[in-house]
Amino acid sequence: MSGGLVALLDDVAALARIAAASVDDIAAGAAKAGAKAAGVVIDDAAVTPQYVSGADPSRELPMIKKIFWGSLRNKLLIILPALLLISAFTPWAIPFILMAGGTYLCYEGAEKVWHKLRGDHPHDNDAPAVDRGPEAEAKVTKGAITTDFILSCEIMVISMNEVAAESLLARALILVVVALAITVLVYGAVALIVKMDDIGIHLAAKESAGSQRFGELLVKGMPAVLTAITIVGTVAMLWVGGHIMLQGAYDLGWHAPYDLVHTLESPVAGIPVAGSFLAWLVNTLCSAVLGIIWGLIVMAIVVPLLKVLPFGNKMSGHGEDEVPSAAAGHAPAKPDAGSSS
């Protein structure tokens, strides 16, 4: 009897070791997949704060919560099943899906750079949300979830491509972990960013001179922080999109562009200590340059089409340019930190 119990315990221990190893494999796969998608994650985190910019402070977190759940539904209920089916039955399609997403990222990044250089502000004269009706918040939230869907597709496809050699079950579990971790990371960061000025106002009202100074610094510094995040997000779009196009062209048999990039990397790759970083930097810069060139080419084709297609006016702005004016109608501006002290 005791021998049977010992054998049973041995079997349980063996199963536990197998399960632990599987968990380790899934965690490692998720980390690898998530790291490859980091550029798109940065852009996702950079885009979302725009959707609640200027909103009533009491509505900021509820709006982010709605976008969070919409993003999670996008990833787990739509994108994940579709990718698993594609990877199981038509895996040859994944490079083309990646390149389609890369083209979109290049186009979006190039369009932002183009409008910034021209000083365009196409929706400056839009009426605030309060003048456009009570459905404005729902429209803004829907626009954020739509934009998130496109970025989520790219994140999940990049992640899938990194774990394509795993079994179907392992791929599914890894992608679930990636979807949960990235969504929590992105929208946790977004919630912190959009509430940072409220934290600053709260600190500025304290009696401590140190708290007041730090609070005022937070409030005054947030516009610069948001601008920096937006710039990083745009660069990440161009870098990730350009790299996807480089890798996709290589995988499809056109090796010349990537061979040129590797040739440019070679002189710095052998430098002690910093060689690997410098080679990565050269690759990243080349990818970003390719991204903006390809994005401008796509713009030259797409923008004239959008002007003549019946749905072109709705698509041309991608919903982002109207966001600040849409959100601004929710409430009066937040009080100045200096007056609180």
Side-chain angles (χ1 to χ4, degrees), residues 2-318:
S2 60
L5 179 59
V6 170
L8 177 60
L9 292 175
D10 284 343
D11 290 341
V12 170
L15 288 172
R17 285 194 294 271
I18 293 170
S22 299
V23 169
D24 288 343
D25 290 343
I26 290 166
K32 177 184 176 184
K36 277 289 186 178
V40 192
V41 173
I42 292 170
D43 184 69
D44 203 358
V47 167
T48 307
Q50 300 176 42
Y51 288 92
V52 294
S53 176
D56 182 333
S58 68
R59 297 305 306 157
E60 289 173 339
L61 291 183
M63 288 173 73
I64 291 170
K65 183 179 178 181
K66 289 179 183 177
I67 300 168
F68 168 84
W69 286 113
S71 176
L72 207 55
R73 286 194 298 271
N74 284 343
K75 292 183 180 76
L76 295 180
L77 302 183
I78 302 174
I79 301 170
L80 177 58
L83 280 181
L84 289 175
L85 288 172
I86 290 170
S87 68
F89 298 106
T90 56
W92 53 266
I94 290 179
F96 295 99
I97 297 172
L98 271 171
M99 293 183 76
T103 297
Y104 172 81
L105 292 175
C106 294
Y107 168 67
E108 281 284 282
E111 187 184 45
K112 289 180 181 180
V113 172
W114 176 258
H115 287 308
K116 185 67 176 178
L117 292 176
R118 290 185 55 182
D120 293 343
H121 301 283
H123 293 273
D124 278 350
N125 297 321
D126 281 357
V130 70
D131 297 332
R132 301 206 310 272
E135 73 282 358
E137 181 180 310
K139 182 178 178 182
V140 169
T141 303
K142 183 179 177 181
I145 293 171
T146 301
T147 299
D148 177 272
F149 179 81
I150 298 168
L151 294 172
S152 292
C153 281
E154 199 61 21
I155 290 168
M156 297 293 278
V157 173
I158 292 170
S159 302
M160 171 69 80
N161 195 52
E162 286 302 303
V163 295
E166 303 289 340
S167 67
L168 184 63
L169 178 59
R171 269 177 278 163
L173 293 174
I174 288 169
L175 289 179
V176 167
V177 171
V178 168
L180 290 170
I182 286 180
T183 307
V184 170
L185 173 66
V186 167
Y187 290 100
V190 168
L192 181 62
I193 289 168
V194 300
K195 299 307 289 183
M196 194 64 72
D197 51 355
D198 290 328
I199 296 171
I201 291 169
H202 177 73
L203 291 173
K206 297 285 188 182
E207 294 183 1
S208 166
S211 295
Q212 290 178 7
R213 284 194 297 271
F214 184 62
E216 291 172 6
L217 179 65
L218 284 179
V219 174
K220 293 176 181 177
M222 280 314 295
V225 170
L226 290 172
T227 299
I229 291 173
T230 300
I231 292 171
V232 170
T234 301
V235 172
M237 270 186 159
L238 295 170
W239 154 44
V240 175
H243 187 77
I244 288 171
M245 302 311 294
L246 270 178
Q247 186 65 54
Y250 187 89
D251 292 342
L252 295 175
W254 188 25
H255 296 174
Y258 218 148
D259 288 344
L260 175 61
V261 173
H262 282 308
T263 300
L264 295 174
E265 288 178 21
S266 298
V268 299
I271 297 176
V273 182
S276 296
F277 171 75
L278 292 174
W280 173 85
L281 188 61
V282 169
N283 189 295
T284 298
L285 290 173
C286 290
S287 297
V289 169
L290 173 65
I292 196 165
I293 291 172
W294 180 237
L296 290 172
I297 291 171
V298 175
M299 271 187 69
I301 298 169
V302 170
V303 171
L305 286 175
L306 291 177
K307 290 179 179 178
V308 298
L309 292 173
F311 51 83
N313 289 333
K314 293 182 180 180
M315 291 183 63
S316 59
H318 307 287

